[in-house]
């Protein structure tokens, strides 16, 4: 089940790619060469995604597809409690999926109901996958520049609340990454739509032999 869950964001854009938004061959090579083997593995094992999860992803894909077809931007904010793990992974992989499948207008963001710091284990997992991750500041809540494709500006990852100035204030899809944030944040101000897209917290494996596998 855990292995299947890591594929869910790619599946969102996989659903859209069947609508011929853009010829896949024109987009897939845009993703960093170091990242392509990991992405290829995800795409190959997409059938592992459980049906109940596919239903949620279809709902998300329908929102994205409707906005794309209308020529509207598609801002998506991934929200969890501390904006340290799951929401960053959601943001980065959603933006990567959009690049891989050539989905126009998608811009992914992340935030929490509180801010802490982007956990170093999250950073390590992204590096293992093949992303270029550079630490840009040296502070309690460091900023990381994450490159997923050639010729695109990096994602600036650091912990912040979901309604921070850097994030969209209206018209975005709120993807709730953890049950705690979903249950304790009944109103997500400014969101156009909301979806419960919860993940198991990899934090449970911190400091154990399973740590890398959980985050990966």
């Amino acid at each position: 089940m855990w292995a299947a869950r890591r594929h869910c964001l790619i599946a969102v854009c996989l659903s859209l790619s069947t609508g011929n938004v853009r010829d896949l061959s024109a987009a897939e090579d845009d993703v960093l060469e170091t990242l392509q083997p990991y992405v290829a593995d995800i795409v190959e094992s997409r059938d592992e995604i459980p049906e109940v999860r596919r239903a949620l992803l279809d709902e998300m894909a329908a929102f994205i597809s409707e906005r794309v077809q209308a020529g509207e931007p598609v801002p998506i904010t991934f929200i969890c409690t501390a904006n340290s793990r799951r929401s960053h992974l959601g943001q980065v992989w959603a933006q990567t999926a959009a690049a891989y499948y050539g989905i126009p207008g998608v811009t992914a963001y992340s935030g929490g109901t509180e801010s802490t710091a982007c956990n170093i284990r999250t950073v390590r997992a992204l590096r293992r996958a093949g992303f270029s991750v550079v630490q840009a500041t040296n502070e309690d809540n460091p900023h990381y520049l994450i490159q997923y494709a050639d010729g695109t500006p990096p994602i600036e990852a650091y912990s912040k609340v979901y309604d921070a100035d850097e994030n969209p204030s209206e018209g975005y899809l709120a993807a709730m990454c953890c049950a705690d944030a979903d249950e304790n944040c009944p109103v997500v101000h400014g969101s156009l739509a909301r979806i419960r897209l919860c993940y198991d917290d990899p934090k449970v494996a911190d400091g154990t032999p399973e740590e890398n596998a959980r985050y990966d």
Side-chain angles (χ1 to χ4, degrees):
M1 178 64 75
W2 182 260
R5 288 197 170 191
R6 74 185 174 101
H7 310 324
C8 67
L9 288 167
I10 296 293
V12 174
C13 289
L14 176 67
S15 299
L16 290 173
S17 71
T18 61
N20 296 320
V21 175
R22 176 179 167 188
D23 177 31
L24 177 58
S25 62
E28 60 184 356
D29 289 339
D30 291 345
V31 174
L32 290 180
E33 187 174 352
T34 53
L35 185 56
Q36 289 178 19
Y38 194 97
V39 173
D41 178 61
I42 290 173
V43 173
E44 284 294 320
S45 53
R46 60 186 180 269
D47 291 340
E48 297 175 19
I49 302 169
E51 287 301 320
V52 65
R53 191 71 172 184
R54 287 178 181 270
L56 291 174
L57 293 166
D58 284 344
E59 181 182 344
M60 190 174 185
F63 174 89
I64 296 171
S65 181
E66 182 179 343
R67 299 282 292 183
V68 168
Q69 291 178 28
E72 298 287 342
V74 191
I76 306 171
T77 302
F78 292 86
I79 302 171
C80 63
T81 302
N83 192 210
S84 61
R85 294 171 173 81
R86 289 169 284 182
S87 48
H88 286 294
L89 293 170
Q91 175 188 7
V92 171
W93 277 112
Q95 197 68 66
T96 302
Y100 183 83
Y101 287 110
I103 310 297
V106 173
T107 307
Y109 303 86
S110 70
T113 55
E114 61 185 75
S115 64
T116 54
C118 181
N119 193 275
I120 188 60
R121 297 171 181 85
T122 304
V123 173
R124 291 169 183 160
L126 292 170
R127 285 173 173 157
R128 284 194 299 272
F131 292 95
S132 170
V133 185
V134 176
Q135 184 171 334
T137 66
N138 211 1
E139 53 195 26
D140 290 340
N141 182 11
H143 291 217
Y144 297 94
L145 302 180
I146 303 171
Q147 195 76 39
Y148 59 92
D150 293 318
T152 60
I155 296 169
E156 186 172 2
Y158 62 99
S159 186
K160 56 197 163 303
V161 291
Y162 79 87
D163 57 354
D165 291 343
E166 298 87 340
N167 287 349
S169 59
E170 59 183 16
Y172 61 93
L173 171 64
M176 310 304 290
C177 292
C178 74
D180 183 70
D182 187 49
E183 292 164 4
N184 292 298
C185 195
V187 177
V188 181
H189 299 288
S191 62
L192 185 64
R194 172 182 178 147
I195 185 171
R196 180 184 172 93
L197 197 65
C198 298
Y199 298 87
D200 294 339
D201 192 350
K203 182 180 179 180
V204 299
D206 286 3
T208 76
E210 298 298 317
E211 180 178 293
N212 286 1
R214 281 276 183 169
Y215 280 83
D216 292 348

